[in-house]
């Protein structure tokens, strides 16, 4: 191989960090798609605070043929310096409202006011104060240096966004904020995604580097970093990950090829396994796809059949494939797989995008598998540790790992990023965000941003600046995370076909139902008699992850602002009894912080949307509530109390198991009802 380096690139192309409130050492985010989940306590410190997840970046040298030569490190093979520059910003408060993605037909169904800016009352030059932009920071790889993003302000309030540092090997580490969210005018939370005056400390921005090698300076192909909310179930991946989504974007655009050969081990089994792994975060998936369930794809007997390309098991493969959602065949039906809400989810469904489909590339691979056009074994070696992989494989492992642990379920608006990420014009090449020139002023798109304006040649879906990816997300993120639940329904639709477990939003990132530590301890204790029903019941029992939130939906969103670190983290624990009765590895919720740990296990199990409580909530959010009108909180409380009583009578669930309130995010078409 030609060893002369003519080009350098940063990997991962998109790195992901996450906020946390711990003052102790952060952990590095996943760096290989094959990496094993971290051990017990890796994500929370001894005080119960959530550790920050760091994004780590490296520079690789490429030869003229585009082959990876080696990772570049100061003091090795002619490299004297790596100069890293990162620019983080948060622009949520200055951006536009989110209701539904603007790149789907339903985006054209909104009213003019729903295309308006957040904090529209702030006008003129004062709007710049809504942007937290502390500027760029630079550190040298030849030294261990740290620079903080601690000078940015929102409406004259300083808000820390994170810091960067270099390690002894010259690699860059990026840390985000500490989960701080507040209103600069001390106003209450009024909704899910568009709370005026509210800000948070997630962020994103460009990562660039210059490398001095053999006395010559080379500018690296740049990368991007995203700082998102915590991943509360870090051992679980979405069925359609952000990597799956972007791979399809680039395959469709012709910049990446489809896999030339389909492998059950490499391509199919990971998708099927994710259905099974959702058993640890959603009881509906646990019932159907969990341990010993009717579609437990991971059992040795089932796996043997699914991995067999012969005609003997063709009908099993075909039925599994046919069970997956197809919009043309299924319309708005909630029954096909996966049971996950989609981009246009609404309490009164108007669209086939009420639920998600797998990506076209995922679908194509599954179709080939169903036809028997695949091989059973792997096409590539598993690489649990990226540093142990051949250097030629490391860049791709880094790129993929960061994205595989992000959600691409409903962009409603999403967890880490939203719908613009699937726009090809956002990229210069596969997985690399197109950068706006440093120092370029943010374009002003006017008082509203319609779908036509968003998609225009001079719109926001091309070159990106600091804060441009996360600006589309909910403000603040905690209000959205507290609303990511399952089984949303209105009282009128409750009945014998209602399930509180399905469909669901983002359960891999934001769990719905979890196995408590106390129940795991029962499971993991050897039985003392032939009657093992207590362990069996404990294994099957699930607690509502958000059981510690109280009051109406809006009151619970408000509580989430301060209590988000108290929620449990779903961790992998070893089953040590050794009798084969339960999985060898079980994912278990860490003990929530007080007083959340004292909540009823099934509190907030049933989730009711109250559209009738919407008008005063929406009017208050617009600042249009008349003086003689009742406070929206009072109206919501009254409606919620009545709805809870009616729901308890209709379903048989106890009143204390039912949460009710108005959620504007799942009522996006309210003006047109």
């Amino acid at each position: 191989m030609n060893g002369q380096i003519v080009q350098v690139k940063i990997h991962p192309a998109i790195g992901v960090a996450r906020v946390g409130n711990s003052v102790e050492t952060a952990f590095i985010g996943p760096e290989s798609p094959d990496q094993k989940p971290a051990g017990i306590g890796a994500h929370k410190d001894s005080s119960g605070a959530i550790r920050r997840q760091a994004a780590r970046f490296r520079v690789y040298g490429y030869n003229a043929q585009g082959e990876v030569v080696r990772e570049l490190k100061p003091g090795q093979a002619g490299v004297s310096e790596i100069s890293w520059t990162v620019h983080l910003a948060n622009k949520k408060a200055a951006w536009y409202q989110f209701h539904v993605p603007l790149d789907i037909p339903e985006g054209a169904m909104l009213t003019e006011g729903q295309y308006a800016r957040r904090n529209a009352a702030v006008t003129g030059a004062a709007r710049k104060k809504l942007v937290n932009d502390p500027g760029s920071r630079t550190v040298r790889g030849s030294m261990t240096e740290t620079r903080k993003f601690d000078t940015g302000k929102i409406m004259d309030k300083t808000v820390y966004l994170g810091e960067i540092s270099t390690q002894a090997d010259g690699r860059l580490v990026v840390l985000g904020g500490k989960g701080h969210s507040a209103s600069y005018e001390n106003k209450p939370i009024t909704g899910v995604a568009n709370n005026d005056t509210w800000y948070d400390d997630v962020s994103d921005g460009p990562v660039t580097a210059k490398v001095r090698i053999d006395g010559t300076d080379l500018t690296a192909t740049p990368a991007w970093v995203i700082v998102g909310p915590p991943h509360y179930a870090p051992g679980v991946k979405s069925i359609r990950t952000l990597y799956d989504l972007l791979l399809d974007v680039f395959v469709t655009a012709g910049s990446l090829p489809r896999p030339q050969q389909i492998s059950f081990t490499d391509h199919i089994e990971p998708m099927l396994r994710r259905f099974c792994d959702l058993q640890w975060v959603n009881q509906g998936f646990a019932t159907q796809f969990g341990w010993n369930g009717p579609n437990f794809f991971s059992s040795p007997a089932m796996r043997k059949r699914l991995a067999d390309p012969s005609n003997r098991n063709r009908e099993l493969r075909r039925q599994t494939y046919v069970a997956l959602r197809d919009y043309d065949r299924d319309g708005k039906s909630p029954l096909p797989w996966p049971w996950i809400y989609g981009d246009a989810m609404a309490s009164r469904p108007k669209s086939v995008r009420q639920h998600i489909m797998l990506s076209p590339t995922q679908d194509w691979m599954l179709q080939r598998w169903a036809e028997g056009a695949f091989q059973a074994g792997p096409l590539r070696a598993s690489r649990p540790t990226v540093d142990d992989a051949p250097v030629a494989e490391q860049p791709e492992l880094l790129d993929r790992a960061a994205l595989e642990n992000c959600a691409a379920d409903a962009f409603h608006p999403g967890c880490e990023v939203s719908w613009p990420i699937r726009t090809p014009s956002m990229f210069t090449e596969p997985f690399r965000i197109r950068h706006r020139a440093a120092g370029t002023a943010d374009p002003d798109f006017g008082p509203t941003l319609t779908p036509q304006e968003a998609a225009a040649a001079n719109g926001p879906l091309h070159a990106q600046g600091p804060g441009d990816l996360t600006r589309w997300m909910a403000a603040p993120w905690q209000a959205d995370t507290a609303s990511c639940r399952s089984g949303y329904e209105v009282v009128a639709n409750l009945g014998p076909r209602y399930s509180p477990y399905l469909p669901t939003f983002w359960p891999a990132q934001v769990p719905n139902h979890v196995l408590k530590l106390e129940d795991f301890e029962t499971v993991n204790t050897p039985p003392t008699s032939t009657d093992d029903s207590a362990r069996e019941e404990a294994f099957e029992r699930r607690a509502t992850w958000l059981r510690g939130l109280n009051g109406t939906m809006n009151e619970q969103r408000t509580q989430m602002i301060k209590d988000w670190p108290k929620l449990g983290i779903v961790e992998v624990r070893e089953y040590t009894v050794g009798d084969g009765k339960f999985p060898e590895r079980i994912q278990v919720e860490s003990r929530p912080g007080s007083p959340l740990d004292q909540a009823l296990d099934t509190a907030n199990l049933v989730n009711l949307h109250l559209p009738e409580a919407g008008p005063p909530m929406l009017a208050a959010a617009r600042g249009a509530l008349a003086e003689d009108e009742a406070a929206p909180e009072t109206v919501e409380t009254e409606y919620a109390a009545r709805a809870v009583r009616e729901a308890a009578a209709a379903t048989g669930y106890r009143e204390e198991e039912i949460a009710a309130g108005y959620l504007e995010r799942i009522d996006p078409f309210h003006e047109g009802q």
Side-chain angles (χ1 to χ4, degrees), residues 325-327 329-339 351-352 354-356 503:
R325 181 171 289 106
D326 177 88
Y327 287 149
R329 179 195 67 183
D330 303 318
K332 294 180 285 187
S333 172
L335 299 181
W337 303 342
W339 299 318
S351 166
V352 296
Q354 180 75 5
H355 310 98
I356 72 162

Side-chain angles (χ1 to χ4, degrees), residues 8-10 57-61 70-72 82 84 209 211 220:
V8 295
K9 294 185 178 183
I10 302 172
F57 295 87
R58 317 174 187 207
V59 177
Y60 287 83
R70 63 178 182 274
E71 182 184 353
L72 304 182
I82 301 176
W84 295 95
V211 181

Side-chain angles (χ1 to χ4, degrees), residues 4-20:
Q4 183 177 0
I5 293 173
V6 300
Q7 184 182 21
V8 295
K9 294 185 178 183
I10 302 172
H11 293 278
I14 300 174
V16 179
R18 298 181 186 276
V19 301

Side-chain angles (χ1 to χ4, degrees), residues 88-411:
L88 297 179
N90 180 307
K91 298 176 177 174
K92 287 185 180 183
W95 196 235
Y96 298 88
Q97 298 177 25
F98 177 87
H99 295 279
V100 294
L102 299 184
D103 64 341
I104 59 175
E106 294 76 20
M109 298 172 62
L110 304 177
T111 64
E112 182 178 3
Q114 290 175 299
Y115 299 124
R117 289 167 164 161
R118 292 169 177 157
N119 297 294
V122 180
T123 60
R127 290 198 65 80
K128 293 182 179 179
K129 292 186 175 183
L130 295 170
V131 175
N132 181 351
D133 186 351
S136 64
R137 300 290 188 270
T138 298
V139 289
R140 292 166 292 178
S142 62
M143 318 178 88
T144 52
E145 294 186 314
T146 298
R147 298 286 184 270
K148 295 184 178 181
F149 295 95
D150 57 359
T151 59
K153 297 181 179 181
I154 178 165
M155 300 304 281
D156 300 321
K157 295 179 182 290
T158 301
V159 181
Y160 166 89
L161 290 183
E163 57 197 68
I164 60 173
S165 60
T166 43
Q167 298 181 309
D169 55 12
R171 295 170 179 170
L172 173 75
V173 172
V174 182
L175 286 173
K178 299 181 179 180
H180 174 68
S181 299
S183 164
Y184 59 77
E185 289 187 354
N186 296 317
K187 289 191 174 181
I189 290 286
T190 58
V192 178
N194 305 301
N195 289 284
D196 278 354
T197 77
W198 278 81
Y199 60 87
D200 59 30
D201 60 1
V202 304
S203 61
D204 69 280
V207 179
T208 60
K210 289 185 179 180
V211 181
R212 176 161 286 257
I213 180 170
D214 296 328
T216 300
D217 288 335
L218 295 179
T219 299
T221 302
W224 206 268
V225 64
I226 297 165
V227 179
H231 190 171
Y232 284 101
V236 182
K237 296 180 181 179
S238 298
I239 294 172
R240 185 182 72 184
T241 69
L242 187 55
Y243 174 80
D244 295 323
L245 180 83
L246 291 183
L247 176 65
D248 181 72
V249 168
F250 303 127
V251 167
T252 302
S255 53
L256 282 179
R258 280 176 172 173
Q260 293 184 352
Q261 188 173 3
I262 301 302
S263 156
F264 177 78
T265 303
D266 293 344
H267 299 115
I268 306 303
E269 187 173 25
M271 285 189 272
L272 300 180
R273 186 189 310 121
R274 290 174 200 158
F275 277 87
C276 300
D277 285 349
L278 291 182
Q279 68 179 299
W280 309 119
V281 290
N282 178 277
Q283 189 161 356
F285 278 86
T287 300
Q288 192 66 226
F289 301 100
W291 177 257
N292 290 336
N295 288 292
F296 183 49
F297 301 128
S298 297
S299 74
M302 178 66 88
R303 187 192 184 281
K304 181 179 179 180
R305 295 182 65 193
L306 295 170
D308 174 18
S310 73
N311 284 335
R312 180 175 56 183
N313 287 299
R314 182 168 185 170
E315 185 58 17
L316 173 63
R317 298 193 307 270
R318 188 187 70 85
Q319 288 190 22
T320 303
Y321 172 68
V322 168
L324 295 165
R325 181 171 289 106
D326 177 88
Y327 287 149
D328 292 336
R329 179 195 67 183
D330 303 318
K332 294 180 285 187
S333 172
L335 299 181
W337 303 342
W339 299 318
I340 296 175
Y341 289 126
D343 284 356
M345 186 274 183
S347 61
R348 288 166 280 198
K350 289 180 174 290
S351 166
V352 296
R353 280 164 289 277
Q354 180 75 5
H355 310 98
I356 72 162
M357 279 180 58
L358 297 185
S359 77
T361 299
Q362 286 178 302
D363 184 85
W364 175 81
M365 290 191 291
L366 285 160
Q367 185 177 0
R368 297 283 290 166
W369 166 72
E371 294 168 351
F374 71 98
Q375 73 173 48
L379 297 168
R380 70 175 187 88
S382 178
R383 308 294 188 190
T385 304
V386 69
D387 288 305
D388 293 340
V391 69
E393 298 180 23
Q394 292 179 14
E396 183 179 355
L397 292 172
L398 292 166
D399 290 351
R400 181 172 178 174
L403 299 172
E404 270 203 357
N405 289 276
C406 295
D409 300 331
F411 282 136

